């Protein structure tokens, strides 16, 4: 896959970066499935008599929402993104996809109008994650569900890489190329979280953390994937953090 580092035209700003169709806007299916199962369990306990509105904020190409939809029958899943390129692709996978921003004018939804929010691999890309969670809290009804996923700074292999003086996987120092770490794709990560930091951050933003699970990373070399799946049993070591919280 071509990345901004090889196009010969570096992005002028983050908006240009994310409108570049070469920038990856989807994560792995295993993470999406695990997150969707967590949400399905939450929505079905207790059982609800009416359809729930679920917003996939930062939906990218719609893969995560399309993966989750079969596990959420009867509920309405709406994709939200501010990248026009991502929305064009999302509309080929999901019936509802609208443009919206977490900052500036805010999301195009009334306060307390959503029952759940999928927030998959978005928070690590944000300049102002505090404002983003404030806006998500605004649109969620009291007791509404936040299903957040993000790469784990303290993943099992990152601990070894740091000891060896190597830049951790998922971290980036440039939008133009990879420097000092394994990998080939520039994806625009600005912030990274450990399990403890993520839980504290979400709790400080007006949510009650219900559950934290781990998920594998699709970019782990094939020979190491069994070990990566094994690490999911301890979220503090897993590649991806899956957090379920509720609006207080």
């Amino acid at each position: 896959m071509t990345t901004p580092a090889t196009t010969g035209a570096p992005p002028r700003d983050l908006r240009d970066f994310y409108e570049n169709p070469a920038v990856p806007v989807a994560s792995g299916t295993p993470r999406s499935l695990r997150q969707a199962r967590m949400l399905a369990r939450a929505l079905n306990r207790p059982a609800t008599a009416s359809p729930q509105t679920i917003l996939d904020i930062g939906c990218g190409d719609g893969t995560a929402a399309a993966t989750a939809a079969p596990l959420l029958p009867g509920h309405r899943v709406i994709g939200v993104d501010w990248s026009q390129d991502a929305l064009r692709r999302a509309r080929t996978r999901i019936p509802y996809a609208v443009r919206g921003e977490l900052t500036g004018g805010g999301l195009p939804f009334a306060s307390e109008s959503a029952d759940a929010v999928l927030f998959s691999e978005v928070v690590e890309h944000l300049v102002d994650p505090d404002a983003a969670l404030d806006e998500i809290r605004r649109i969620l009804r009291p007791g509404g569900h936040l299903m957040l996923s993000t790469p784990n700074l303290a993943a099992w292999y990152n601990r070894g890489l740091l000891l060896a003086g190597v830049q951790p996987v998922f971290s980036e120092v440039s939008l133009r190329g990879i420097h000092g770490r394994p990998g080939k794709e520039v994806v625009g990560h600005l912030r990274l979280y450990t399990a403890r930091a993520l839980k504290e951050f979400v709790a400080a933003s007006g949510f009650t953390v219900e559950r934290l699970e781990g998920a594998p990373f699709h970019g782990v070399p094939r020979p190491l994937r069994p070990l990566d799946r094994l690490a999911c049993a301890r979220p503090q070591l897993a590649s991806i953090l899956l957090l379920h919280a509720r609006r207080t």
Side-chain angles (χ1 to χ4, degrees), residues 150-176:
T150 190
N152 182 9
L153 174 61
W156 60 275
Y157 41 80
N158 278 346
R159 298 178 185 226
L161 290 173
L162 276 170
L163 285 174
V166 178
Q167 189 81 9
V169 175
F170 309 124
S171 66
E172 295 183 332
V173 299
S174 170
L175 291 180
R176 300 183 182 182

Side-chain angles (χ1 to χ4, degrees), residues 171-192:
S171 66
E172 295 183 332
V173 299
S174 170
L175 291 180
R176 300 183 182 182
I178 297 298
H179 304 290
R181 71 158 173 85
K184 298 179 180 179
E185 293 180 340
V186 179
V187 293
H189 289 176
L190 304 179
R191 302 179 184 278
L192 288 177

Side-chain angles (χ1 to χ4, degrees), residues 106-214:
L107 295 167
F109 301 99
S111 297
E112 301 184 3
S113 61
D115 299 288
V117 164
L118 289 170
F119 202 43
S120 307
E121 263 88 324
V122 177
V123 69
E124 67 270 15
H125 296 267
L126 300 178
V127 174
D128 190 351
D130 302 279
L133 283 198
D134 287 346
E135 180 64 2
I136 288 173
R137 191 175 186 279
R138 179 187 71 80
I139 63 169
L140 275 175
R141 63 172 177 79
H145 304 277
L146 169 63
M147 313 301 293
L148 184 156
S149 68
T150 190
N152 182 9
L153 174 61
W156 60 275
Y157 41 80
N158 278 346
R159 298 178 185 226
L161 290 173
L162 276 170
L163 285 174
V166 178
Q167 189 81 9
V169 175
F170 309 124
S171 66
E172 295 183 332
V173 299
S174 170
L175 291 180
R176 300 183 182 182
I178 297 298
H179 304 290
R181 71 158 173 85
K184 298 179 180 179
E185 293 180 340
V186 179
V187 293
H189 289 176
L190 304 179
R191 302 179 184 278
L192 288 177
Y193 300 80
T194 64
R196 178 176 177 177
L198 183 64
K199 289 192 291 185
E200 290 185 4
F201 167 61
V202 170
S205 299
F207 294 84
T208 299
V209 175
E210 297 281 329
R211 188 174 180 85
L212 183 72
E213 295 186 10

